Amino acid sequence: MATEIKLQKLGENLEGGKVLDVKVEAGATVVQGQPLVEVEAEKAAVEVLAPEAGKVTQVLVQKDDQVTVGQTLCVLDGANGAVPAQPQEKAEPTTEKPQTASPPQPQPQAVSQPQSRLPAASQRPVQPRATTGTDKPVPAGPATRRLARELGIDLQLVTGTAPAGRVTPEDVKAYVRQLATGLTPVSAAAGPVAAPPLPDFERWGGIEKKPLEQVRRKTAEHLSRAWNLIPHVTQHDLADITDLEAFRKSQEGNGPKLTVTGFALKAAAIALREFPQFNSSIDLAKGQLIFKHYVHIGIAVDTDRGLLVPVIRDVDQKTVYGLASELTEIAQRARDKQISVDDMRGGCFTISNLGGLGGVSFTPIVNWPEVAILGLSRARLQPVIQDGQVTPRLMLTLSLSYDHRVIDGADGARFCRRIADLLENPLKMLLHA
Ligand code: CAO
């Protein structure tokens, strides 16, 4: 029986993604669970799997196609009739109903045409990607959505002029006109962000041009936005982690692998509870600070696709051992392309540990809409004067970048010192759940 393999929901407010890889050809025989197509949305790559064993009769997409949720990716002639494949990702529970399969078509021809495809990325207008800063669904009718899709415009960026902020087709066209002038309302507010044309580098030697991968593009957009929106200050401090390191080593083989990052997670969670302004987001338009009653911390993970920041939830309620094993698991999933968009959302604060690689200190960029990020550099043995004696101690540089609109310098220094204090006295962490 022919089953259309459709793209299922990828994450909240995600209408589709880009085909990273088509793993089968028409005529291929597949086993149940075999990856058919890999789709990338935001920074997450998800594999669409065969729901049952069978023969792929049609492949309707190709690498780099933009695909939308519900679109048929390929057709599988399976022995048993089947439910549609789910992307291989763990998504947070959602109130939306899951997509259901289209009934199998009696005529293979009926499913042989892919749904209308978006124009290739290179044909769409280039869109500066500063955003309005909201993930809420944009109020807009089907005609507006269709027009935006055809033009490759993110409706989140368009200001709606109809009642209740509804976006009209005219609004989309006006936005495109603004793009043509190189000035969007957001870029105008945030200052000039459009780069001048690049020089012809070939004048000075050979060059090679490569398209920006999705993760690199998203990272660039996100960091530019954060850098433009947030007045950054970076506070550096030193934590003496000699005792912590001795304890860590003494625990080797006793449970999940403990690393500095696991302890830093716990210390940051305690500090976030004590300094709630570090666990907030600012909404200048509404004149509000939004304080979160939960402590979810993102961890910057270096993967071969680029930087990913999966989020560990309720860090304040977990032990260092629990955090260590979750950290190992989530970093591995990020590297194995098993991370979903929702796994990377909802963070309150971020930790970026470059210490495994080296370095003395650095200035991390705040992961907007958060207001602070902690960078860890490589801990080094340094001569420290204790009781008038020069003593070798293992010193870890902490680099806390924060949003100066929300956090005063004195609080930045106090917060950073508190984390240092907890790392210097790991027993104090036991006092917290
Ligand atoms: N100083 C000294 N040693 C450190 C250290 C530090 N700051 N951080 C980690 N180490 C040690 C660990 O303790 C471990 O030592 P042992 O092998 O002796 O046990 C070793 O380095 C390897 O650690 P790790 O990096 O594998 O594990 P981790 O839990 O400390 O870090 C993770 C996990 C995901 C944070 C890390 O692997 C990673 O991806 N880091 C890069 C983050 C990044 O790219 N940031 C840049 C973002 S842009 O701002």
Side-chain angles (χ1 to χ4, degrees), residues 248-249 257 259 261 300 302 307 327 335 352-355 377 379:
R248 188 180 79 83
K249 291 279 182 201
K257 181 176 163 62
T259 61
T261 315
D302 176 36
L307 171 68
L327 172 65
R335 290 178 176 132
S352 174
N353 181 7
L354 285 172
S377 299

Side-chain angles (χ1 to χ4, degrees), residues 34 108-109 125 162 164 188 205 215 266 286 288 302 331 344 391 399 418-419 425:
Q34 184 171 333
Q109 292 88 329
V215 170
K266 189 71 198 171
K286 291 188 181 150
Q288 288 176 343
D302 176 36
M344 293 187 277
T391 317
S399 303
R418 177 61 171 146
I419 292 179
N425 302 283

Side-chain angles (χ1 to χ4, degrees), residues 57 60 65 81 109 183 189 198 203 226 229 238 241 248 273 285 324 357-358 363 380 384 424 428:
T57 54
L60 302 173
D65 276 359
Q109 292 88 329
L183 199 66
L198 291 170
R203 284 169 50 205
L229 283 175
L238 276 176
I241 60 164
R248 188 180 79 83
R273 279 283 181 212
L357 305 167
T363 53
R380 286 170 202 281
V384 172
E424 287 172 352
K428 286 188 183 174

